[in-house]
Amino acid sequence: QLSEDVERVSENPTDEREGEMEVHEDASSVILPDSELGTTAPSLRFSKTCLKNVFSVILLFIYLLLMAVAVFLVYQTISDFREKLKHPVMSVSYKEVSLYDAPGIAFYPGKARLLSCKHHYYDHIPPLINPGQPGDIECTTRRINYTDPFTNQTMKYALVVQGPRDVKKKELVFLQFHLNETDQDFSAIDYLLFSSFQEFINSPEKAEFMKDCESSYSSWKFSGGFRTWVKMSLVKTKEEDGSETVEFKQETSVVNYIDQRTQPRSDQLFFVVFEWKDPFIQTVQDIITANPWNMIALLCGIFLALFKAADFAKLSVKWMIKIRKRHLKRRSQAMNHIN
């Protein structure tokens, strides 16, 4: 059969060529209109796909940038929280009261003697009738002996007086001391303020109580021949372990006392006034401004944004791959149709 076909082709070469030309002409006549109709549509489709891909890439870079910012915010938040834990902030608050707990005033008069002690109100102190002479002692007082807490050898004598309470009426305590003779060039009396006179009264070991007070509180002096006006303010400090310490701040003003006694005397007179400065108790405590719940909420929001950004980036990449595959498929279909 192969030999017969070869012989037939060799006998009619012109007919075969004419048939092939007819086939080519028919094919060209069929394909050309389709190709001419499809040249505009794929180009437009390709331009839209290109724009979509460029837009997706831009969005992907934007979300990557947002993820980088979110990671930086997480790092900065944790760093700020650790820094605030190391450096707490001192908080000062004021509480207004009408009555204070009466403080204790411990005097160390030495050879001096208490002549008078009275409570006055509204800053009114009447003139002294017999200065240098014993007068009325209307204050609640206690006398106590105890050993020095720093040396444990020296015996100390203290006169403890109840301080003022009513701040609205400007209650004050006015005391007068007398010292007949002194072996020093300057005469002064030491005194110590502690927070509660009632605690001293209720304490079973008053000597130990005074030793603790002397170890915890500062002591001051007032001089002879003057009227010393002491205005007190109370400061409470809360420690990190939850304990509370109390200390006094005071403003002192000194006024010269004009001795109008008829005969010149060598003795010394001491006058001192104790009064509350204002009705506010100052409370000081260290607080940590970093709130862990706020930090946890911020971190949750940042991580949620990270996950959303990662999810969007993943979907964007899948969408780009899908569009690319669809474009390649259409291109291959067009080439197969042309072929």
Side-chain angles (χ1 to χ4, degrees):
Q1 292 176 357
L2 181 60
S3 62
E4 290 176 356
D5 293 334
V6 171
E7 290 176 358
R8 188 171 58 253
V9 170
S10 60
E11 290 176 355
N12 300 314
T14 58
D15 297 335
E16 189 71 16
R17 291 176 182 175
E18 291 176 357
E20 290 177 0
M21 291 178 66
E22 290 176 358
V23 171
H24 284 295
E25 288 175 358
D26 294 337
S28 62
S29 65
V30 174
I31 293 173
L32 284 174
D34 291 339
S35 62
E36 289 177 356
L37 292 174
T39 51
T40 58
S43 62
L44 292 175
R45 190 181 300 112
F46 178 77
S47 62
K48 290 182 180 179
T49 305
C50 182
L51 289 176
K52 289 181 180 179
N53 291 336
V54 171
F55 183 69
S56 300
V57 171
I58 293 174
L59 280 180
L60 183 60
F61 277 110
I62 291 175
Y63 274 91
L64 289 176
L65 179 62
L66 292 177
M67 289 177 65
V69 173
V71 171
F72 174 75
L73 287 177
V74 170
Y75 172 76
Q76 192 67 28
T77 302
I78 296 175
S79 300
D80 291 344
F81 183 76
R82 294 179 61 184
E83 190 69 20
K84 289 178 181 179
L85 285 178
K86 294 179 181 178
H87 301 90
V89 179
M90 182 177 292
S91 171
V92 180
S93 59
Y94 294 90
K95 179 182 178 182
E96 186 176 2
V97 296
S98 58
L99 292 174
Y100 280 93
D101 188 8
I105 310 171
F107 296 95
Y108 301 93
K111 296 180 180 181
R113 183 165 62 97
L114 178 63
L115 296 181
S116 63
C117 178
K118 290 184 179 181
H119 289 258
H120 299 283
Y121 296 90
Y122 300 106
D123 287 347
H124 175 67
I125 300 177
L128 294 173
I129 299 175
N130 295 314
Q133 298 297 321
D136 297 331
I137 299 179
E138 300 175 355
C139 305
T140 303
T141 61
R142 294 290 186 274
R143 302 176 186 272
I144 183 71
N145 294 325
Y146 64 94
T147 57
D148 193 325
F150 301 104
T151 62
N152 290 327
Q153 295 178 354
T154 307
M155 184 64 68
K156 303 191 72 170
Y157 161 70
L159 173 67
V160 183
V161 179
Q162 182 178 354
R165 295 185 67 247
D166 198 338
V167 66
K168 284 191 173 181
K169 295 182 179 179
K170 295 185 178 181
E171 179 186 358
L172 56 85
V173 178
F174 176 66
L175 299 100
Q176 178 187 183
F177 289 88
H178 172 264
L179 180 61
N180 191 18
E181 58 182 9
T182 179
D183 53 357
Q184 297 179 353
D185 295 335
F186 302 95
S187 56
I189 294 177
D190 296 335
Y191 67 93
L192 175 73
L193 296 172
F194 57 90
S195 58
S196 177
F197 181 79
Q198 192 63 36
E199 289 184 7
F200 168 74
I201 296 297
N202 297 333
S203 176
E205 296 291 336
K206 293 181 174 55
E208 293 296 326
F209 182 88
M210 289 304 304
K211 289 174 68 175
D212 293 339
C213 287
E214 189 172 352
S215 301
S216 304
Y217 297 98
S218 301
S219 60
W220 293 276
K221 297 177 181 291
F222 62 97
S223 302
F226 297 92
R227 176 177 287 185
T228 304
W229 201 294
V230 180
K231 291 189 176 183
M232 306 172 292
S233 59
L234 193 62
V235 180
K236 293 183 178 180
T237 304
K238 293 184 178 180
E239 304 294 340
E240 294 182 357
D241 56 358
S243 61
E244 187 177 83
T245 59
V246 180
E247 62 178 344
F248 287 87
K249 289 185 178 179
Q250 63 174 22
E251 293 181 1
T252 305
S253 58
V254 180
V255 180
N256 187 24
Y257 169 71
I258 301 175
D259 195 350
Q260 297 180 354
R261 290 180 291 181
T262 56
Q263 298 180 358
R265 299 178 181 273
S266 61
D267 58 352
Q268 288 285 339
L269 295 180
F270 300 81
F271 305 96
V272 62
V273 179
F274 289 92
E275 180 187 14
W276 287 109
K277 178 184 176 183
D278 49 47
F280 297 99
I281 296 178
Q282 180 179 344
T283 303
V284 180
Q285 61 180 346
D286 291 337
I287 61 172
I288 298 175
T289 56
N291 191 341
W293 295 110
N294 290 342
M295 191 196 72
I296 291 173
L298 179 61
L299 290 178
C300 288
I302 292 174
F303 282 121
L304 181 61
L306 284 174
F307 287 130
K308 287 292 183 181
D311 190 26
F312 180 82
K314 182 177 69 174
L315 292 177
S316 299
V317 171
K318 286 184 177 179
W319 181 71
M320 292 172 61
I321 294 173
K322 185 178 179 180
I323 293 297
R324 179 65 178 171
K325 287 182 178 180
R326 186 180 300 174
H327 174 68
L328 293 175
K329 184 178 180 181
R330 289 178 179 175
R331 185 177 179 182
S332 63
Q333 287 178 354
M335 293 298 296
N336 291 333
H337 184 66
I338 291 173
N339 292 332

